């Protein structure tokens, strides 16, 4: 509870009045729409959903400490048939963010929602509820995405994602990047004037910058999202309570970053109710899909053989790093590991058709020609990966699919039951998506060399930016990898890189296009 008290104490004692984010002054014009950061919804259940917005004042200190915001939910976009309405309080201590935990809705239905403050009305958002727990839904379209560094590309991918009409977006980490824009702007799509984020005000500004993008706002308003984080929401390659520099200063930075994350995401207040930040959770889509959304940052051990105060995690050779094989090292932490093990057992008992492990990075082993092992992906936590594989094998949910991000590359894999035998039987399927905009930092020749050494890797591409679409039916899972044509152009077109199908009862993707 100490972390919880620290979090709320900081919320009460920082920025007694929310000021206009510094990015809004960059062009010399002020935003006068109090809902200028858009609206969002998240974490749908059969009875409800979380509605979100955050107020932006017209001038510094123009909002009181507590503001009452009205909200409405309707069956129709014109709001002629309002089914629920109410008020919510936006507090300065939480950045004047609004989180409405709506209940009393009908299962498996689309709804429209909006917020009001005085004469101002937000844009209209569209959201939906999940099916009844016992229902075998005929179809679910998931979109999964991650990694949207502002400077590396425009967000045309979000515009195309709206046209692809998903029911739910899974965002798998690196919603913001904490860096200042580089001095060398060669090859960048755009820049910003914000400093490297270290304080609550900095992280609020950074989230507001990203939320100012119209395509990202449209994607949030299009359908509900379920979000998790990776490292750049806080600090590159941080692990649990370990980060760069002075430990006490890092923990203060982390607390500020976590608060800003909550303030800008459609999350339930229960995420603040546990020591730390309770982000791992389950979302059930009837019996068609049980989604386990994981937190791979907060509870992990420090990367193997990493200096405690180094700026990031690198790669290592197994022979030079005995800690890599330490059996107690964990990516998820023991409590989350147990929670996930229990969830997989529940999936098997409930006869869920698809067990979805939505997490933040590549799960399958990746052997490099150099003999190095990445320490920041699951390759850096081989014992933890083996425990999860044993859990899947022991409980035997009907179909297991892993989704990931982080590496800014598209990977499609047969997940081997034994990582040391990558050409052996597959236990699950994996789709690790590329970034919305962030560069990969490698070349396709190097990626091709990796793929040749890893027979379970069915596709590996580092030269594309975009997102994944997953169409789920009781009979099959179809993943379509969507990639923008020109990441540096806001008006970029889009194309399909590849399409893979996972048949019910067969743990291996098959390429069909």
């Amino acid at each position: 509870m100490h972390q919880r008290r620290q979090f709320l104490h900081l919320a009460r004692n920082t920025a007694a009045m929310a000021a206009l984010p510094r990015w809004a002054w960059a062009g010399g014009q002020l935003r006068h729409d109090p809902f200028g950061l858009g609206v969002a919804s998240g974490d749908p259940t059969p009875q409800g959903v979380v509605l979100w917005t955050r107020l932006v004042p017209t001038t510094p200190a123009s909002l009181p400490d507590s503001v009452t915001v009205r909200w409405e939910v309707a069956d129709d976009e014109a709001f002629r048939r309002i089914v629920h309405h109410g008020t919510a309080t936006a507090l300065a201590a939480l950045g004047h963010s609004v989180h409405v935990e709506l209940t009393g809705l009908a299962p498996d239905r689309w709804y429209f929602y909006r917020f009001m403050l005085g004469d101002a009305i937000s844009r209209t958002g569209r959201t939906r509820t999940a099916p009844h727990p016992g229902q075998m839904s005929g179809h679910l379209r998931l979109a999964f995405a991650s990694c949207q560094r502002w400077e590396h590309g425009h967000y045309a991918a979000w515009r195309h994602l709206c046209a692809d009409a998903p029911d739910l977006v899974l965002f798998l980490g690196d919603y913001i990047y904490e860096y200042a824009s580089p001095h060398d702007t060669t090859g960048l799509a755009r820049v910003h004037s914000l400093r490297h984020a270290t304080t609550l005000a900095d992280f609020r500004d950074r989230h507001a910058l990203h939320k100012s993008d119209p395509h990202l706002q449209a994607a949030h308003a299009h359908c509900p999202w379920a979000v998790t984080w990776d490292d750049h929401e806080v600090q590159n390659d941080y692990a649990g309570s370990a980060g760069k520099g002075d430990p006490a200063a890092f923990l203060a930075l982390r607390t500020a970053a976590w608060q800003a994350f909550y303030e800008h995401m459609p999350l339930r207040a229960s995420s603040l109710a546990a020591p730390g930040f309770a982000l791992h959770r389950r979302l059930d889509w009837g019996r068609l899909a049980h989604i386990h959304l994981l937190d791979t940052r907060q509870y992990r051990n420090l990367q193997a053989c990493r200096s405690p105060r180094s700026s990031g995690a690198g790669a290592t050779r197994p022979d030079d790093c005995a800690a890599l094989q330490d059996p107690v090292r964990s990516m998820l932490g023991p409590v989350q590991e147990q929670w996930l093990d229990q969830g997989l057992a529940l999936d098997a008992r409930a006869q869920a058709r698809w067990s979805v492990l939505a997490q933040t990075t590549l799960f399958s082993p990746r052997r490099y020609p150099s003999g190095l092992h990445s320490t920041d992906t699951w390759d850096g936590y081989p014992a933890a990966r083996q425990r999860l594989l044993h859990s899947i094998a022991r409980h035997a949910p009907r179909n297991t699919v892993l989704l990931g991000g982080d590496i800014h590359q598209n990977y499609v894999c047969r997940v081997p039951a034994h990582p040391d035998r990558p050409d052996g039987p597959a236990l699950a399927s994996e789709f690790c998506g590329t970034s919305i905009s962030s560069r990969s930092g490698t070349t396709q020749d190097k990626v091709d060399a990796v793929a040749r050494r890893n027979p379970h890797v069915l596709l590996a591409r580092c030269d594309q930016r975009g997102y994944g679409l997953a169409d789920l039916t009781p009979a099959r899972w179809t993943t379509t990898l969507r990639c923008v044509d020109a990441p540096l152009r806001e008006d970029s077109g889009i194309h399909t890189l590849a399409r893979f199908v996972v048949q019910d009862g067969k743990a291996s993707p098959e390429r069909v296009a």
Side-chain angles (χ1 to χ4, degrees), residues 92-161:
L94 289 175
H96 287 111
S97 59
V98 177
H99 298 77
V100 177
E101 298 187 23
L102 190 61
T103 59
L105 300 181
D108 205 14
R109 286 278 307 277
W110 285 98
Y111 292 94
F112 298 88
Y113 65 94
R114 63 186 180 185
F115 296 92
M116 292 158 287
L117 178 64
D119 295 332
I121 302 176
S122 74
R123 72 182 299 161
T124 296
R126 193 176 74 127
T127 192
R128 64 162 301 158
T129 52
H132 187 275
Q135 178 182 343
M136 178 56 76
S137 179
H139 180 250
L140 166 64
R141 171 166 282 192
L142 291 174
F144 56 96
S146 63
C147 304
Q148 49 182 13
R149 184 163 178 179
W150 182 263
E151 303 97 321
H152 285 186
H154 287 285
Y155 292 169
W158 291 122
R159 173 168 53 88
H160 292 290
L161 180 142

Coordinates of all heavy atoms in Angstrom, one line a residue, residues 92-161:
A92 N -8.2 18.3 -10.6 CA -6.9 18.8 -11.0 C -5.8 17.9 -10.6 O -4.8 17.7 -11.3 CB -6.7 20.2 -10.4
A93 N -6.0 17.2 -9.4 CA -4.9 16.3 -8.9 C -4.7 15.1 -9.9 O -3.6 14.5 -9.8 CB -5.3 15.8 -7.5
L94 N -5.7 14.8 -10.7 CA -5.5 13.7 -11.7 C -5.6 14.3 -13.1 O -6.1 13.7 -14.0 CB -6.5 12.6 -11.5 CG -6.3 11.8 -10.3 CD1 -7.5 10.8 -10.1 CD2 -5.0 11.0 -10.4
G95 N -5.1 15.5 -13.3 CA -5.0 16.1 -14.6 C -6.3 16.5 -15.2 O -6.4 16.6 -16.5
H96 N -7.3 16.6 -14.4 CA -8.7 16.8 -15.0 C -9.1 15.7 -15.9 O -9.8 16.0 -16.9 CB -8.8 18.2 -15.6 CG -8.9 19.3 -14.6 ND1 -7.8 20.2 -14.5 CD2 -9.8 19.7 -13.7 CE1 -8.1 21.1 -13.5 NE2 -9.3 20.8 -13.0
S97 N -8.6 14.5 -15.7 CA -9.1 13.4 -16.5 C -10.4 12.9 -15.9 O -10.8 13.1 -14.8 CB -8.0 12.3 -16.4 OG -7.8 11.8 -15.1
V98 N -11.2 12.2 -16.8 CA -12.5 11.7 -16.5 C -12.5 10.2 -16.8 O -12.1 9.8 -18.0 CB -13.6 12.4 -17.3 CG1 -15.0 11.8 -16.9 CG2 -13.6 13.9 -16.9
H99 N -12.9 9.4 -15.9 CA -13.0 7.9 -16.1 C -14.4 7.5 -15.6 O -14.7 7.5 -14.4 CB -12.0 7.1 -15.3 CG -10.5 7.4 -15.7 ND1 -9.9 8.6 -15.3 CD2 -9.7 6.7 -16.5 CE1 -8.7 8.6 -15.9 NE2 -8.5 7.5 -16.5
V100 N -15.3 7.2 -16.5 CA -16.7 6.8 -16.2 C -16.7 5.3 -16.4 O -16.6 4.8 -17.5 CB -17.7 7.5 -17.1 CG1 -19.1 6.9 -16.8 CG2 -17.7 9.0 -16.9
E101 N -17.0 4.6 -15.3 CA -17.1 3.1 -15.3 C -18.6 2.8 -15.5 O -19.3 2.6 -14.5 CB -16.5 2.5 -14.1 CG -15.0 2.8 -14.0 CD -14.3 2.1 -12.8 OE1 -14.8 1.0 -12.4 OE2 -13.2 2.5 -12.4
L102 N -19.0 2.6 -16.7 CA -20.4 2.5 -17.1 C -20.8 1.0 -16.9 O -20.1 0.1 -17.3 CB -20.6 2.9 -18.5 CG -22.0 3.1 -19.1 CD1 -22.7 4.1 -18.3 CD2 -21.9 3.5 -20.5
T103 N -22.0 0.9 -16.3 CA -22.6 -0.5 -16.2 C -24.1 -0.3 -16.7 O -24.6 0.7 -16.9 CB -22.6 -1.0 -14.8 OG1 -23.2 0.0 -13.9 CG2 -21.1 -1.1 -14.3
G104 N -24.8 -1.5 -16.7 CA -26.2 -1.5 -17.1 C -26.5 -1.5 -18.5 O -27.6 -1.3 -18.9
L105 N -25.5 -1.8 -19.4 CA -25.7 -1.9 -20.8 C -26.1 -3.3 -21.2 O -25.9 -4.2 -20.4 CB -24.5 -1.4 -21.6 CG -24.0 0.0 -21.3 CD1 -22.8 0.4 -22.1 CD2 -25.1 1.0 -21.6
A106 N -26.6 -3.5 -22.4 CA -26.9 -4.8 -22.9 C -25.7 -5.4 -23.5 O -24.8 -4.7 -24.1 CB -28.0 -4.7 -24.0
P107 N -25.5 -6.7 -23.4 CA -24.4 -7.4 -24.0 C -24.3 -7.3 -25.5 O -25.4 -7.2 -26.2 CB -24.5 -8.9 -23.6 CG -25.5 -8.8 -22.4 CD -26.4 -7.7 -22.7
D108 N -23.1 -7.4 -26.1 CA -22.9 -7.5 -27.5 C -23.6 -6.4 -28.3 O -24.3 -6.7 -29.3 CB -23.4 -8.9 -28.0 CG -22.7 -9.4 -29.2 OD1 -21.7 -8.8 -29.6 OD2 -23.2 -10.4 -29.8
R109 N -23.5 -5.2 -27.9 CA -24.2 -4.1 -28.5 C -23.2 -2.9 -28.8 O -22.3 -2.7 -28.0 CB -25.3 -3.6 -27.7 CG -26.5 -4.5 -27.6 CD -27.4 -4.2 -28.8 NE -27.8 -2.8 -28.9 CZ -28.7 -2.2 -28.2 NH1 -29.5 -2.9 -27.4 NH2 -28.9 -0.9 -28.4
W110 N -23.4 -2.2 -29.9 CA -22.7 -0.9 -30.1 C -23.5 0.2 -29.5 O -24.7 0.2 -29.5 CB -22.5 -0.7 -31.6 CG -21.5 -1.5 -32.2 CD1 -21.7 -2.7 -32.9 CD2 -20.1 -1.3 -32.2 NE1 -20.4 -3.2 -33.3 CE2 -19.5 -2.3 -32.9 CE3 -19.3 -0.3 -31.7 CZ2 -18.1 -2.4 -33.1 CZ3 -17.9 -0.3 -31.9 CH2 -17.3 -1.4 -32.6
Y111 N -22.8 1.2 -29.0 CA -23.4 2.4 -28.4 C -22.6 3.6 -28.8 O -21.4 3.5 -29.3 CB -23.4 2.4 -26.9 CG -24.3 1.3 -26.3 CD1 -23.8 0.0 -26.0 CD2 -25.6 1.6 -26.0 CE1 -24.7 -0.9 -25.4 CE2 -26.5 0.6 -25.5 CZ -26.0 -0.6 -25.2 OH -26.8 -1.6 -24.6
F112 N -23.2 4.8 -28.6 CA -22.5 6.1 -28.9 C -22.4 6.9 -27.6 O -23.3 6.8 -26.7 CB -23.2 6.9 -29.9 CG -23.3 6.2 -31.3 CD1 -24.3 5.3 -31.6 CD2 -22.3 6.4 -32.2 CE1 -24.3 4.7 -32.8 CE2 -22.3 5.8 -33.4 CZ -23.3 4.9 -33.7
Y113 N -21.4 7.7 -27.4 CA -21.2 8.4 -26.1 C -20.6 9.8 -26.4 O -20.0 10.0 -27.5 CB -20.4 7.7 -25.1 CG -18.9 7.4 -25.6 CD1 -17.9 8.3 -25.2 CD2 -18.6 6.4 -26.4 CE1 -16.6 8.1 -25.6 CE2 -17.3 6.2 -26.8 CZ -16.3 7.1 -26.4 OH -15.0 6.9 -26.8
R114 N -20.8 10.7 -25.5 CA -20.2 12.0 -25.6 C -20.1 12.7 -24.2 O -20.8 12.2 -23.3 CB -21.0 12.9 -26.6 CG -22.4 13.2 -26.1 CD -23.1 14.0 -27.2 NE -24.5 14.3 -26.8 CZ -25.4 14.9 -27.6 NH1 -25.1 15.2 -28.8 NH2 -26.6 15.1 -27.2
F115 N -19.3 13.7 -24.1 CA -19.1 14.5 -22.9 C -19.6 15.9 -23.1 O -19.4 16.4 -24.3 CB -17.7 14.5 -22.4 CG -17.2 13.1 -22.0 CD1 -16.6 12.3 -22.9 CD2 -17.4 12.6 -20.7 CE1 -16.1 11.0 -22.6 CE2 -16.9 11.4 -20.3 CZ -16.3 10.6 -21.3
M116 N -20.0 16.6 -22.1 CA -20.4 18.0 -22.2 C -19.9 18.8 -21.0 O -19.9 18.3 -19.8 CB -21.9 18.1 -22.2 CG -22.5 17.5 -23.5 SD -24.2 17.1 -23.3 CE -24.1 15.6 -22.3
L117 N -19.4 20.0 -21.3 CA -19.0 21.0 -20.2 C -19.5 22.3 -20.6 O -19.0 22.9 -21.6 CB -17.5 21.0 -20.1 CG -16.9 21.9 -19.0 CD1 -17.4 21.6 -17.6 CD2 -15.4 21.9 -19.1
G118 N -20.5 22.9 -19.9 CA -21.1 24.1 -20.3 C -21.7 24.0 -21.7 O -22.5 23.0 -21.9
D119 N -21.4 24.8 -22.6 CA -21.9 24.7 -24.0 C -21.0 23.8 -24.9 O -21.4 23.6 -26.0 CB -22.0 26.1 -24.6 CG -23.0 27.0 -23.9 OD1 -24.0 26.4 -23.4 OD2 -22.9 28.2 -23.9
A120 N -19.9 23.4 -24.4 CA -19.0 22.6 -25.2 C -19.4 21.1 -25.2 O -19.8 20.6 -24.2 CB -17.6 22.7 -24.7
I121 N -19.4 20.5 -26.4 CA -19.7 19.1 -26.5 C -18.6 18.4 -27.2 O -18.0 18.9 -28.2 CB -21.0 18.9 -27.4 CG1 -22.2 19.7 -26.7 CG2 -21.3 17.4 -27.5 CD1 -23.4 19.6 -27.6
S122 N -18.1 17.3 -26.7 CA -17.0 16.5 -27.2 C -17.4 15.9 -28.6 O -18.6 15.9 -28.9 CB -16.6 15.4 -26.3 OG -17.5 14.4 -26.3
R123 N -16.5 15.4 -29.3 CA -16.8 14.6 -30.4 C -17.5 13.3 -29.9 O -17.5 13.0 -28.8 CB -15.5 14.2 -31.2 CG -14.7 13.1 -30.4 CD -13.4 12.8 -31.2 NE -13.7 12.2 -32.5 CZ -12.9 12.2 -33.5 NH1 -11.6 12.7 -33.4 NH2 -13.2 11.7 -34.7
T124 N -18.2 12.7 -30.8 CA -19.0 11.5 -30.5 C -18.1 10.3 -30.6 O -17.4 10.1 -31.6 CB -20.2 11.3 -31.4 OG1 -21.1 12.4 -31.2 CG2 -20.9 10.0 -31.1
G125 N -18.0 9.5 -29.6 CA -17.3 8.2 -29.6 C -18.3 7.0 -29.8 O -19.5 7.1 -29.5
R126 N -17.7 6.0 -30.3 CA -18.5 4.8 -30.5 C -17.8 3.6 -29.7 O -16.6 3.5 -29.7 CB -18.5 4.4 -32.0 CG -19.5 3.3 -32.4 CD -19.5 3.2 -33.9 NE -18.3 2.4 -34.4 CZ -18.3 1.3 -35.1 NH1 -19.4 0.8 -35.5 NH2 -17.2 0.7 -35.5
T127 N -18.7 2.9 -29.0 CA -18.1 1.8 -28.2 C -19.1 0.6 -28.3 O -20.1 0.7 -28.8 CB -17.8 2.3 -26.8 OG1 -17.1 1.3 -26.1 CG2 -19.1 2.5 -26.0
R128 N -18.6 -0.5 -27.6 CA -19.5 -1.6 -27.6 C -19.2 -2.5 -26.4 O -18.2 -2.3 -25.7 CB -19.3 -2.5 -28.9 CG -17.9 -3.1 -29.1 CD -18.0 -4.2 -30.1 NE -18.9 -5.2 -29.6 CZ -19.5 -6.1 -30.4 NH1 -19.2 -6.1 -31.7 NH2 -20.3 -7.0 -30.0
T129 N -20.2 -3.4 -26.1 CA -20.0 -4.3 -25.0 C -19.6 -5.6 -25.5 O -19.8 -6.0 -26.7 CB -21.4 -4.4 -24.2 OG1 -22.4 -4.7 -25.2 CG2 -21.7 -3.2 -23.5
A130 N -19.1 -6.5 -24.6 CA -18.7 -7.8 -25.0 C -19.9 -8.7 -25.0 O -21.0 -8.4 -24.4 CB -17.7 -8.3 -24.0
P131 N -19.9 -9.9 -25.6 CA -21.0 -10.8 -25.6 C -21.2 -11.4 -24.2 O -20.3 -11.3 -23.3 CB -20.6 -11.9 -26.5 CG -19.5 -11.3 -27.4 CD -18.8 -10.3 -26.5
H132 N -22.3 -12.0 -24.0 CA -22.6 -12.7 -22.7 C -21.6 -13.8 -22.5 O -21.1 -14.4 -23.4 CB -24.0 -13.4 -22.8 CG -24.5 -14.0 -21.5 ND1 -24.1 -15.3 -21.1 CD2 -25.3 -13.5 -20.5 CE1 -24.7 -15.5 -20.0 NE2 -25.4 -14.5 -19.6
P133 N -21.2 -14.0 -21.2 CA -20.1 -15.0 -20.9 C -20.3 -16.4 -21.5 O -19.3 -17.0 -21.9 CB -20.1 -15.1 -19.4 CG -20.6 -13.7 -19.0 CD -21.6 -13.4 -20.0
G134 N -21.5 -16.9 -21.6 CA -21.7 -18.2 -22.2 C -21.9 -18.3 -23.7 O -22.0 -19.4 -24.2
Q135 N -21.9 -17.1 -24.3 CA -22.2 -17.1 -25.8 C -21.0 -17.4 -26.6 O -19.9 -17.0 -26.3 CB -22.7 -15.7 -26.1 CG -23.0 -15.5 -27.6 CD -23.4 -14.0 -27.9 OE1 -23.8 -13.3 -27.0 NE2 -23.4 -13.7 -29.2
M136 N -21.2 -18.2 -27.6 CA -20.1 -18.5 -28.6 C -20.4 -17.5 -29.8 O -21.2 -17.8 -30.7 CB -20.2 -20.0 -29.1 CG -19.1 -20.3 -30.2 SD -17.4 -19.9 -29.7 CE -17.1 -21.2 -28.6
S137 N -19.7 -16.4 -29.7 CA -19.9 -15.4 -30.7 C -19.4 -15.9 -32.0 O -18.4 -16.6 -32.1 CB -19.1 -14.1 -30.3 OG -19.3 -13.1 -31.3
G138 N -20.0 -15.4 -33.1 CA -19.6 -15.9 -34.4 C -18.4 -15.2 -35.0 O -17.7 -15.8 -35.9
H139 N -18.0 -14.0 -34.5 CA -16.9 -13.3 -35.1 C -16.5 -12.2 -34.1 O -17.3 -11.5 -33.4 CB -17.4 -12.6 -36.4 CG -16.3 -11.8 -37.1 ND1 -16.3 -10.5 -37.2 CD2 -15.1 -12.2 -37.7 CE1 -15.2 -10.1 -37.8 NE2 -14.5 -11.1 -38.1
L140 N -15.2 -12.0 -34.1 CA -14.5 -10.8 -33.4 C -13.4 -10.4 -34.3 O -12.6 -11.2 -34.7 CB -14.0 -11.3 -32.0 CG -13.0 -10.3 -31.3 CD1 -13.7 -9.0 -31.0 CD2 -12.4 -10.9 -30.1
R141 N -13.3 -9.1 -34.5 CA -12.2 -8.5 -35.2 C -11.4 -7.7 -34.2 O -11.8 -6.6 -33.7 CB -12.7 -7.6 -36.4 CG -11.5 -6.8 -37.0 CD -11.8 -6.2 -38.3 NE -11.8 -7.2 -39.4 CZ -11.8 -6.9 -40.7 NH1 -11.9 -5.7 -41.1 NH2 -11.7 -7.9 -41.6
L142 N -10.2 -8.1 -33.9 CA -9.2 -7.5 -33.1 C -8.2 -6.7 -34.0 O -7.7 -7.2 -35.0 CB -8.4 -8.5 -32.2 CG -9.1 -9.2 -31.1 CD1 -8.1 -10.2 -30.6 CD2 -9.5 -8.3 -30.0
A143 N -7.8 -5.5 -33.5 CA -6.6 -4.9 -34.1 C -5.6 -4.9 -33.0 O -5.9 -4.6 -31.8 CB -6.9 -3.5 -34.6
F144 N -4.3 -5.1 -33.3 CA -3.3 -5.0 -32.4 C -2.1 -4.1 -32.9 O -1.8 -4.2 -34.1 CB -2.7 -6.4 -31.9 CG -2.2 -7.3 -33.0 CD1 -0.9 -7.4 -33.3 CD2 -3.1 -8.1 -33.7 CE1 -0.4 -8.2 -34.3 CE2 -2.7 -8.9 -34.7 CZ -1.3 -9.0 -35.0
A145 N -1.6 -3.3 -32.0 CA -0.7 -2.3 -32.5 C 0.2 -1.9 -31.3 O -0.1 -2.1 -30.1 CB -1.4 -1.0 -33.0
S146 N 1.3 -1.2 -31.6 CA 2.3 -0.8 -30.6 C 3.3 0.3 -31.2 O 3.3 0.4 -32.4 CB 3.1 -2.0 -30.0 OG 3.9 -2.6 -31.1
C147 N 4.0 1.0 -30.3 CA 5.2 1.7 -30.7 C 4.9 2.8 -31.7 O 5.1 2.6 -32.9 CB 6.3 0.7 -31.2 SG 6.7 -0.6 -30.1
Q148 N 4.6 4.0 -31.2 CA 4.3 5.1 -32.1 C 5.1 6.3 -31.7 O 4.6 7.4 -31.3 CB 2.8 5.4 -32.0 CG 2.2 5.5 -30.6 CD 0.7 5.8 -30.6 OE1 0.0 5.6 -31.6 NE2 0.2 6.1 -29.4
R149 N 6.4 6.3 -32.0 CA 7.3 7.4 -31.7 C 6.9 8.5 -32.7 O 6.7 8.4 -33.9 CB 8.7 7.1 -31.9 CG 9.7 8.3 -31.6 CD 11.1 7.9 -31.3 NE 11.9 9.1 -31.0 CZ 13.2 9.1 -30.7 NH1 13.8 8.0 -30.7 NH2 13.8 10.2 -30.5
W150 N 6.7 9.7 -32.1 CA 6.1 10.9 -32.8 C 7.0 11.3 -34.0 O 6.4 11.5 -35.1 CB 6.0 12.0 -31.8 CG 5.4 13.3 -32.3 CD1 6.1 14.4 -32.8 CD2 4.0 13.6 -32.4 NE1 5.3 15.4 -33.2 CE2 4.0 14.9 -33.0 CE3 2.9 13.0 -32.1 CZ2 2.7 15.6 -33.2 CZ3 1.7 13.6 -32.3 CH2 1.6 14.9 -32.9
E151 N 8.3 11.4 -33.8 CA 9.1 11.9 -34.9 C 9.3 10.9 -36.0 O 9.6 11.3 -37.2 CB 10.5 12.2 -34.3 CG 10.5 13.2 -33.1 CD 10.5 12.5 -31.8 OE1 9.9 11.4 -31.7 OE2 11.3 13.0 -30.9
H152 N 9.2 9.6 -35.8 CA 9.5 8.6 -36.8 C 8.5 8.4 -37.9 O 8.8 7.8 -38.9 CB 9.8 7.3 -36.1 CG 11.1 7.2 -35.4 ND1 11.6 6.1 -34.8 CD2 12.1 8.2 -35.2 CE1 12.8 6.4 -34.3 NE2 13.1 7.6 -34.5
G153 N 7.3 9.0 -37.7 CA 6.3 8.8 -38.8 C 5.0 9.4 -38.4 O 4.7 9.7 -37.2
H154 N 4.2 9.7 -39.4 CA 2.8 10.2 -39.1 C 2.0 9.0 -38.8 O 2.4 7.8 -38.9 CB 2.3 10.9 -40.3 CG 2.8 12.3 -40.5 ND1 2.5 13.3 -39.7 CD2 3.8 12.7 -41.4 CE1 3.2 14.4 -40.1 NE2 3.9 14.1 -41.1
Y155 N 0.7 9.2 -38.3 CA -0.1 8.2 -37.8 C -1.2 7.8 -38.8 O -2.4 7.6 -38.5 CB -0.8 8.6 -36.5 CG 0.1 8.7 -35.3 CD1 -0.3 9.3 -34.1 CD2 1.4 8.3 -35.4 CE1 0.6 9.5 -33.0 CE2 2.3 8.4 -34.3 CZ 1.9 9.0 -33.1 OH 2.7 9.1 -32.0
A156 N -0.8 7.7 -40.1 CA -1.8 7.3 -41.1 C -2.3 5.9 -40.8 O -3.4 5.6 -41.2 CB -1.1 7.3 -42.5
A157 N -1.5 5.1 -40.1 CA -2.0 3.7 -39.8 C -3.3 3.8 -39.1 O -4.2 2.9 -39.3 CB -0.9 3.0 -39.0
W158 N -3.5 4.7 -38.2 CA -4.7 4.8 -37.4 C -5.9 5.2 -38.3 O -7.0 4.7 -38.0 CB -4.6 5.8 -36.2 CG -3.6 5.4 -35.2 CD1 -2.5 6.0 -34.7 CD2 -3.7 4.2 -34.4 NE1 -1.9 5.3 -33.7 CE2 -2.6 4.2 -33.5 CE3 -4.6 3.1 -34.3 CZ2 -2.4 3.2 -32.5 CZ3 -4.4 2.1 -33.4 CH2 -3.3 2.1 -32.5
R159 N -5.7 6.0 -39.3 CA -6.8 6.3 -40.2 C -7.2 5.1 -40.9 O -8.5 4.8 -41.1 CB -6.3 7.4 -41.2 CG -7.3 7.7 -42.3 CD -6.9 9.0 -43.1 NE -5.5 8.9 -43.5 CZ -5.1 8.4 -44.7 NH1 -6.0 7.9 -45.5 NH2 -3.8 8.4 -45.0
H160 N -6.3 4.3 -41.4 CA -6.7 3.1 -42.1 C -7.3 2.0 -41.2 O -8.2 1.2 -41.6 CB -5.5 2.5 -42.8 CG -5.0 3.4 -44.0 ND1 -5.7 3.5 -45.1 CD2 -3.9 4.2 -44.1 CE1 -5.1 4.3 -46.0 NE2 -4.0 4.8 -45.4
L161 N -6.8 2.0 -39.9 CA -7.4 1.0 -39.0 C -8.9 1.3 -38.8 O -9.7 0.4 -38.7 CB -6.6 1.1 -37.7 CG -7.1 0.2 -36.5 CD1 -5.9 -0.4 -35.8 CD2 -8.1 0.9 -35.6

